[in-house]
Amino acid sequence: MLAPATHRLETSPLRWLLPLAVLGLVVLGWDLVVRLNDLPPYILPGPLRVLDTLIADRSVLLGSLMVTLRTTLVALALAAVGGAALALLFASARIVEFSLFPIAIILQVTPLIAIAPLMLIYLSTDAAVLTCAWIVAFFPILSNTTLGLNSVDANLRDLFRLSGASRLQTLRLLQLPTALPYFLGGLRIAGGLALVGAVVGEIAAGSAGQGSGLAFRIVESAYRLNIPRMFAALLLISLAGILIYAGLSLVSWLLLRRWHESALGRGN
Amino acid sequence: MTTLIDPPAPVPAAEPPGAPLLTLAGVGKRFGNQVTALEGLDMEVRRGEFLSLLGPSGCGKSTALRLIAGLAEPTSGHIAFNGERAGKASSTHPSVGFVFQEPTLMPWASVFGNVHLPLKLAGTSRREAEPAIMEALELVGLDGFRDAYPRELSGGMKMRVSIARALVTKPRLLLMDEPFAALDEITRFKLNNDLLDVWRQLNCTIVFVTHSVFESVYLSTRILVFRARPGRVAAELEIDPAQPRDEAFRTSPEYAALCRQTSTALAAAMNAG
Ligand SMILES: Nc1ncnc2c1ncn2[C@@H]1O[C@H](COP(=O)(O)OP(=O)(O)OP(=O)(O)O)[C@@H](O)[C@H]1O
Ligand SMILES: [Mg+2]
């Protein structure tokens, strides 16, 4: 009985309307709180005020959005290439995996915010922010792709062996396609994390940098007690996160829609 | 290695049918330290025969088939191939087709792509391989599904794709692990007959694992009944290869008698365990 009901929900417009309605209610509540308590904008600006600021300061804020987005995407691309390449190296020689994986884990479990100031000493601001974003994006791609490369169906591997497949053929025709969905899953996690990394890097750089990313705008606005602009910048960061996630989901869907369970519509 | 000094091995056709192709002597296979899948297995595979391995679940039939294919090494005893000690897979083995107990298809490739695989690995392009692929697909009745993906097929259809993939290279030795277990009876009968046709046409050797007494009697020229714990051969039955295999045979008293005989041997093997 549960399955048909779930299925109906999945395809009906309610799936989109409900979260939008909830979001609308939250914004309305926010507006009411501000109006009823007569809160001044430097304590809590109302949603309309934030929107006004966004439009008024659009040239500064959109410029910052572009900077943060570019840092995030460059870091993500470098993490994707580096993570996938290292995973391939791991898969070809276990000894490399044993030697390097612990280091990757140390890098992963050390809080980024604690590393960022160090990075800023040795690197230029831009490079430090990029490195911060790269470090956090790298690990999920590495670990997911490694998992994927090790998840090859044992019988298929035997079949390749029986057919006299070369190492390269096995890699190209068997291991890479098996690992692809795992890699794409890692990429989606990494997209969100790269944004977090970029924001952390920018905040650590703070007013020291001439950096003009969104997080830098938040710090700057906080100094100037320009609270509406902080909210506007925050809104844009959320928007950037949503855009990245949606873009990566689309890429994933396009690559997997013919065959992978995750990309298939249910029941039709 | 040795082939550089020795004269080339005689062409298969020159060998008399019935000569041993493969001999397993005192073969044992253990997994870890606890599970003994096979112990003291003596058997041979003869050129051109249709050999069935029949036995209860878990008695080591799949394991034996993997050893024959060279996909696993015995932990004791040895496997001689055509009189020679077998080394790595492929070096001394003829072209082998293997049908796994599960369909084992690549989910990212179409039916056509899956059947193409063994030829592709041997360097044959899509275009060159197409006639052979379509022939194999027609044989299993799936030529209309060449562009479908495995997820769009039923369990039995996937299994038939897997069979087509094993046939596409026209192997000299065809190893099949319960290939028809998931099929309905009518499809099963049809594929039984198709398989017999393939066997005659290719003039190949087939080792066929099955749970079904009726299927083994219908298809085989020889049946090895396995017993479990440890897995080994408990009984052997020969069936006249000259006997035509058709619907008349399926309903004949000889068939019934052979089935009874095989069932008795199987029951004895299961009680012995
Ligand atoms: N890779 C493995 N690791 C450990 N034990 C194994 C492995 N493969 C098989 N076995 C064990 O070996 C025994 C024989 O297994 P096998 O798969 O050969 O049986 P089978 O005769 O093919 O059974 P079925 O008819 O159910 O397919 C079983 O007890 C099984 O648990
Ligand atoms: Mg089995």
Side-chain angles (χ1 to χ4, degrees):
Chain A
M1 286 298 97
L2 194 64
T6 327
H7 177 67
R8 237 179 292 128
L9 190 62
E10 295 256 323
T11 50
S12 87
L14 272 185
R15 195 167 165 214
W16 300 101
L17 292 177
L18 271 177
L20 280 181
V22 171
L23 200 65
L25 279 179
V26 169
V27 172
L28 202 69
W30 171 17
D31 193 47
L32 278 178
V33 168
V34 173
R35 272 177 210 277
L36 293 180
N37 299 313
D38 213 10
L39 291 175
Y42 56 83
I43 303 227
L44 181 65
L48 283 175
R49 181 65 181 255
V50 171
L51 202 66
D52 279 344
T53 314
L54 193 60
I55 293 166
D57 295 351
R58 64 181 176 282
S59 61
V60 178
L61 287 176
L62 286 183
S64 295
L65 173 66
M66 284 306 143
V67 170
T68 301
L69 262 184
R70 215 192 52 217
T71 312
T72 306
L73 291 180
V74 171
L76 186 61
L78 291 177
V81 172
L86 195 59
L88 279 175
L89 198 65
F90 282 4
S92 63
R94 281 329 275 270
I95 189 146
V96 184
E97 181 174 352
F98 295 149
S99 336
L100 290 186
F101 211 68
I103 297 180
I105 291 174
I106 291 173
L107 209 61
Q108 161 72 10
V109 297
T110 311
L112 183 66
I113 192 82
I115 317 176
L118 264 182
M119 222 76 88
L120 283 156
I121 294 178
Y122 298 115
L123 299 172
S124 74
T125 312
D126 284 351
V129 172
L130 190 67
T131 310
C132 282
W134 180 81
I135 285 179
V136 283
F138 178 74
F139 190 77
I141 294 178
L142 172 68
S143 66
N144 264 32
T145 312
T146 303
L147 179 66
L149 289 171
N150 290 332
S151 300
V152 169
D153 182 282
N155 281 342
L156 272 177
R157 194 185 282 280
D158 282 343
L159 184 73
F160 271 67
R161 196 145 73 88
L162 214 53
S163 312
S166 70
R167 258 185 102 127
L168 193 67
Q169 281 176 320
T170 310
L171 177 70
R172 199 165 54 85
L173 300 173
L174 182 59
Q175 288 177 287
L176 290 185
T178 304
L180 184 65
Y182 294 84
F183 168 78
L184 290 170
L187 196 66
R188 249 193 289 184
I189 300 169
L193 286 180
L195 184 63
V196 172
V199 165
V200 167
E202 283 176 16
I203 287 186
S207 53
Q210 75 285 38
S212 48
L214 279 175
F216 172 75
R217 290 291 165 221
I218 289 183
V219 177
E220 182 196 50
S221 308
Y223 280 130
R224 298 183 189 169
L225 281 181
N226 189 347
I227 312 297
R229 199 196 252 197
M230 283 179 83
F231 271 89
L234 192 59
L235 197 68
L236 285 183
I237 290 181
S238 295
L239 199 70
I242 292 169
L243 275 181
I244 291 169
Y245 188 82
L248 293 175
S249 299
L250 182 69
V251 169
S252 179
W253 182 78
L254 285 175
L255 286 172
L256 302 180
R257 72 200 146 128
R258 290 305 305 266
W259 64 274
H260 198 254
E261 302 291 344
S262 68
L264 300 178
R266 260 151 285 187
N268 39 29
Chain B
M1 295 152 277
T2 48
T3 42
L4 290 177
I5 314 156
D6 295 347
V11 274
E15 290 266 330
L21 184 70
L22 191 86
T23 313
L24 284 75
V27 164
K29 178 74 184 175
R30 291 171 35 151
F31 293 103
N33 272 330
Q34 310 93 345
V35 188
T36 306
L38 296 170
E39 197 174 278
L41 173 64
D42 295 302
M43 63 175 272
E44 60 177 26
V45 179
R46 300 174 192 157
R47 190 173 296 285
E49 76 174 336
F50 196 123
L51 175 68
S52 282
L53 310 183
L54 181 69
S57 181
C59 69
K61 306 180 297 295
S62 296
T63 307
L65 209 60
R66 289 174 54 81
L67 289 172
I68 291 172
L71 286 173
E73 298 290 322
T75 37
S76 60
H78 67 267
I79 301 176
F81 198 87
N82 219 353
E84 274 174 63
R85 274 290 273 277
K88 285 265 168 289
S90 78
S91 61
T92 45
H93 276 66
S95 66
V96 174
F98 200 108
V99 179
F100 294 89
Q101 198 164 354
E102 299 85 36
T104 313
L105 302 178
M106 302 179 291
W108 55 83
S110 65
V111 165
F112 188 92
N114 268 290
V115 178
H116 182 201
L117 181 73
L119 294 174
K120 185 175 189 167
L121 292 175
T124 313
S125 75
R126 242 182 128 79
R127 174 107 49 85
E128 284 171 318
E130 181 155 1
I133 296 169
M134 290 319 289
E135 194 188 331
L137 282 177
E138 265 162 47
L139 198 71
V140 296
L142 286 179
D143 42 321
F145 288 85
R146 55 173 287 169
D147 296 320
Y149 279 74
R151 64 167 179 97
E152 297 161 339
L153 305 177
S154 71
M157 288 159 92
K158 284 185 211 163
M159 208 59 220
R160 285 188 274 158
V161 175
S162 168
I163 294 166
R165 179 180 61 192
L167 292 176
V168 78
T169 55
K170 303 208 168 21
R172 304 293 311 147
L173 176 60
L174 187 54
L175 308 174
M176 308 179 89
D177 198 347
E178 297 183 39
F180 304 144
L183 301 181
D184 66 276
E185 194 135 285
I186 297 181
T187 313
R188 199 173 167 139
F189 284 174
K190 178 187 172 296
L191 284 176
N192 280 171
N193 290 328
D194 290 344
L195 183 60
L196 287 169
D197 284 343
V198 168
W199 173 56
R200 281 185 212 105
Q201 266 174 37
L202 294 184
N203 199 14
C204 62
T205 308
I206 296 183
V207 182
F208 187 94
V209 171
T210 180
H211 278 142
S212 162
V213 168
F214 304 103
E215 189 171 60
S216 65
V217 172
Y218 184 70
L219 293 171
S220 322
T221 56
R222 203 156 64 93
I223 300 172
L224 295 179
V225 179
F226 273 57
R227 46 158 289 183
R229 270 165 287 277
R232 57 168 57 170
V233 176
E236 177 176 350
L237 290 100
E238 301 228 23
I239 302 170
D240 183 7
Q243 169 71 54
R245 314 294 164 113
D246 49 21
E247 284 318 302
F249 177 54
R250 227 190 252 286
T251 48
S252 69
E254 294 96 310
Y255 178 72
L258 282 166
C259 286
R260 203 161 35 244
Q261 205 182 331
T262 311
S263 281
T264 313
L266 182 61
M270 289 178 82
N271 290 334

